[in-house]
């Protein structure tokens, strides 16, 4: 059993004494009771695993959220949900164990609606193979279909009359294909190259904002409490190169480079960059152990900048909108058409360990972003204000404010000292 309590409360300028300034008041609980039984059988080189699972979940919420265009979410919900699953997997080594094969099948269901209640609609086959070309080199392949229930915020979304509004949603389906090459050297190191493709189907698409839920979640608020339809598609593809050196002559390190494209359909069914379309990502971690239990480490991270959606200036500046949410409104017709500049950060750490008879002491200095690198993010939208803090109207049209942008940067040098005691 697991249970999550979640609360979020926000007032304009944090003035909680004025109810008219309330922007968000969200309270929810998610409780899940899970039962799972499985058995593994090994016989004549075969490995067979099978089982079943059942889950009873309860989701409750009271939600108040001011949105643009004078729209307000104000509802309560109490949703009881039953979920179940059946699964099985068969594995076998052939060709003198050089080729490892695995075939699996899973079915999931839920009583949320009639489509979900039929587990054949959520059939998930999986297959993997690994072949040792030599003692040091292997090629790996796996493919499969995975189904995931939409979030509780989608399933439990209601109107003020208490009616469920997303009763026709479906499980989200993801199809995976991965092919990789692995090489183990004689110096306690490994090098891997891997290409991948993921295809997303029946992803929830917000009908009010005309945006896939895959591109929502970076702002302060609640994700999924809106009218959706399970008709959005997406894809992610790319490759990864990784070299790992385990401890060898007191040195260790990992270098990983990933190129990824992540795209989801917009309102016109055109594939555009998703909020997770980072393109190029590089991570380097290295360390060395010295005499007398001294150790140093360094970590370098780089990515080529994430995309973002520009503001819709006329809609954001409209008094009827700004006086409700006090923030900019995205132009979802230009979703993720802009991109922040490339980002990098270097972290450094030095440790000194003391070993005693019954306990150990570790003292370290950790400096994050040692170069104090600043990254310019999407600027924050606000309006021009007078000396009393009141918005200044656009002289050409009093229905609008004069827009203003504030710089938004990320990155700070952060040193810390730590003490770890082990008994």
């Amino acid at each position: 059993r697991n249970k999550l309590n979640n609360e979020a409360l926000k007032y304009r300028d944090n003035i909680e004494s004025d109810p008219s300034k309330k922007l968000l008041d969200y309270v929810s609980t998610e409780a899940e009771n899970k039962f799972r039984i499985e058995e593994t059988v090994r016989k004549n080189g075969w490995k067979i695993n099978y089982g079943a699972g059942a889950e009873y979940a309860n989701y409750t919420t009271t939600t108040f959220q001011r949105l643009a265009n004078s729209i307000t979410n104000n509802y309560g919900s109490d949703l009881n949900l039953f979920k179940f699953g059946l699964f099985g997997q068969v594995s076998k080594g052939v060709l003198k164990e050089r080729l490892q094969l695995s075939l699996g099948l899973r079915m999931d269901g839920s009583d949320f609606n009639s489509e979900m209640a039929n587990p054949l609609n959520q059939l998930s086959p999986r297959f993997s193979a690994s072949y040792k070309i030599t003692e040091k080199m292997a090629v790996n392949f796996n493919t499969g279909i995975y189904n995931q229930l939409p979030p509780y915020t989608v399933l439990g979304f209601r109107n003020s009359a208490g009616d469920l509004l997303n009763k026709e949603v479906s499980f989200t389906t993801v199809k995976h294909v991965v092919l990789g090459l692995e090489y183990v050297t004689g110096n306690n190191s490994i090098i891997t190259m891997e290409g991948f493709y993921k295809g997303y189907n029946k992803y929830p698409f917000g009908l009010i904002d005309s945006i896939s839920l895959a591109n929502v979640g970076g702002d302060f608020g609640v994700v999924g409490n809106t009218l959706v339809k399970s008709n959005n598609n997406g894809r992610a593809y790319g490759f990864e190169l990784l070299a790992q050196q385990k401890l060898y002559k007191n040195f260790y390190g990992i270098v990983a480079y990933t190129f990824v494209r992540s795209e989801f359909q917009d309102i016109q069914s055109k594939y555009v960059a998703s909020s997770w379309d980072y393109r190029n990502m590089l991570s380097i971690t290295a360390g060395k152990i010295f005499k007398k239990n001294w150790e140093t480490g360094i970590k370098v991270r780089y990515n080529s900048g994430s995309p973002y959606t520009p503001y819709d200036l006329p809609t954001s500046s409209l008094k009827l909108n700004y006086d409700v949410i006090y923030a900019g409104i995205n132009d979802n017709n230009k979703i993720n058409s802009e991109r922040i500049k490339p980002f990098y950060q270097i972290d450094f750490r030095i440790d000194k360990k003391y070993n005693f008879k019954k306990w150990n002491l570790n003292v370290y200095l950790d400096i994050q972003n040692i170069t104090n690198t600043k990254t310019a993010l999407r600027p924050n939208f606000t309006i021009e204000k007078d000396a009393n803090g009141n918005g200044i109207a656009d002289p050409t049209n009093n229905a609008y404010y004069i827009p203003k942008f504030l710089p938004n940067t990320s990155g700070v040098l952060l040193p810390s000292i730590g003490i770890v005691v082990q008994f």
Side-chain angles (χ1 to χ4, degrees):
R1 173 179 170 83
N2 63 75
K3 185 174 182 179
L4 169 69
N5 295 321
N6 192 7
E7 299 183 13
L9 182 65
K10 179 62 178 176
Y11 285 78
R12 182 189 180 188
D13 301 322
N14 296 323
I15 302 176
E16 299 185 17
S17 59
D18 186 352
S20 66
K21 294 183 178 294
K22 182 188 289 187
L23 301 177
L24 176 67
D25 189 353
Y26 176 80
V27 179
S28 75
T29 64
E30 299 177 13
E32 297 175 331
N33 303 277
K34 301 182 181 183
F35 174 81
R36 176 185 174 103
I37 184 170
E38 64 178 290
E39 183 178 12
T40 300
V41 179
R42 300 177 185 270
K43 188 175 183 180
N44 299 328
W46 290 86
K47 179 183 177 182
I48 303 173
N49 174 266
Y50 61 94
E55 179 179 337
Y56 174 76
N58 174 254
Y59 167 74
T60 67
T61 183
T62 56
T63 299
F64 175 88
Q65 183 179 22
R66 291 189 185 274
L67 305 174
N69 302 316
S70 301
I71 299 175
T72 301
N73 276 340
N74 190 6
Y75 68 96
S77 186
D78 189 341
L79 179 68
N80 295 310
L81 201 64
F82 178 72
K83 297 180 274 185
F84 60 91
L86 303 170
F87 57 90
Q89 183 171 325
V90 178
S91 303
K92 182 75 166 67
V94 297
L95 300 179
K96 297 181 180 180
E97 301 297 322
R98 296 180 72 89
L99 176 61
Q100 299 291 327
L101 300 173
S102 179
L103 179 65
L105 183 67
R106 181 179 177 91
M107 293 185 292
D108 290 281
S110 168
D111 66 347
F112 183 76
N113 59 35
S114 58
E115 179 186 348
M116 293 182 178
N118 184 354
L120 295 179
N121 293 329
Q122 290 82 229
L123 200 63
S124 305
R126 296 95 184 265
F127 172 75
S128 67
S130 178
Y131 179 71
K132 275 192 173 184
I133 302 174
T134 68
E135 289 301 314
K136 294 184 177 181
M137 184 177 293
V139 59
N140 303 311
F141 171 81
N142 68 76
T143 184
I145 299 176
Y146 301 83
N147 288 280
Q148 184 176 8
L149 198 69
Y152 292 130
T153 48
V154 168
L155 301 178
F157 179 61
R158 300 177 187 266
N159 57 21
S160 57
D163 302 315
L164 287 172
L165 298 182
N166 294 321
K167 293 187 292 185
E168 303 301 321
V169 294
S170 308
F171 274 77
T172 298
T173 301
V174 187
K175 300 175 182 178
H176 292 221
V177 179
V178 182
L179 178 64
L181 189 65
E182 177 182 302
Y183 179 72
V184 179
T185 72
N187 297 323
N188 209 22
S189 64
I190 184 172
I191 300 173
T192 63
M193 297 178 290
E194 189 173 85
F196 60 89
Y197 178 89
K198 298 181 182 181
Y200 298 83
N201 303 107
K202 298 186 292 186
Y203 210 97
F205 187 85
L207 301 179
I208 304 299
D209 294 332
S210 299
I211 183 175
S212 172
L213 258 61
N215 289 321
V216 181
D219 300 324
F220 184 84
V222 185
V223 176
N225 60 336
T226 186
L227 189 64
V228 304
K229 189 173 183 179
S230 296
N231 64 348
N232 192 235
N233 297 321
R235 61 193 181 192
Y237 55 92
F239 65 89
E240 180 179 85
L241 304 176
L242 183 143
Q244 179 179 5
Q245 175 66 65
K246 296 183 180 180
L247 191 61
Y248 179 72
K249 294 185 178 180
N250 294 329
F251 173 83
Y252 61 89
I254 299 176
V255 178
Y257 168 75
T258 302
F259 172 81
V260 60
R261 291 293 304 270
S262 176
E263 302 168 323
F264 277 81
Q265 292 176 329
D266 61 10
I267 186 62
Q268 299 175 343
S269 298
K270 178 183 175 182
Y271 281 98
V272 297
S274 80
S275 298
W276 320 108
D277 187 55
Y278 290 105
R279 304 288 175 91
N280 298 282
M281 294 178 287
L282 176 66
S283 174
I284 303 173
T285 303
K288 183 173 177 59
I289 299 176
F290 297 90
K291 295 180 180 180
K292 298 182 178 180
N293 293 325
W294 285 92
E295 181 178 348
T296 60
I298 189 171
K299 184 174 184 178
V300 180
R301 288 173 288 168
Y302 168 88
N303 72 58
S304 53
S306 59
Y308 67 87
T309 302
Y311 296 107
D312 183 335
L313 287 183
T315 305
S316 300
S317 305
L318 185 65
K319 290 182 178 181
L320 291 176
N321 288 332
Y322 190 85
D323 288 342
V324 172
I325 63 173
Y326 312 107
I329 298 173
N330 293 337
D331 185 352
N332 288 333
N333 292 318
K334 300 178 181 178
I335 186 167
N336 289 329
S337 58
E338 304 288 341
R339 189 174 291 269
I340 66 174
K341 293 182 178 180
F343 157 87
Y344 80 91
Q345 180 172 313
I346 301 175
D347 305 330
F348 176 79
R349 174 166 164 158
I350 183 169
D351 291 66
K352 170 61 176 174
K353 297 181 180 179
Y354 300 89
N355 299 319
F356 300 96
K357 187 175 182 179
K358 294 185 178 182
W359 62 288
N360 299 322
L361 175 66
N362 181 20
V363 181
Y364 66 85
L365 170 65
D366 185 281
I367 305 176
Q368 297 183 30
N369 194 18
I370 194 170
T371 58
N372 198 23
T373 303
K374 306 291 184 182
T375 302
L377 306 178
R378 182 177 77 159
N380 291 319
F381 178 89
T382 185
I383 59 173
E384 294 285 355
K385 298 179 181 180
D386 58 24
N388 297 319
N390 299 315
I392 300 176
D394 188 336
T396 62
N397 190 335
N398 286 333
Y400 293 84
Y401 289 118
I402 299 176
K404 180 181 179 181
F405 293 96
L406 299 177
N408 182 17
T409 61
S410 174
V412 61
L413 189 149
L414 184 62
S416 60
I417 299 175
I419 299 175
V420 180
V421 179
Q422 295 178 321
F423 295 96

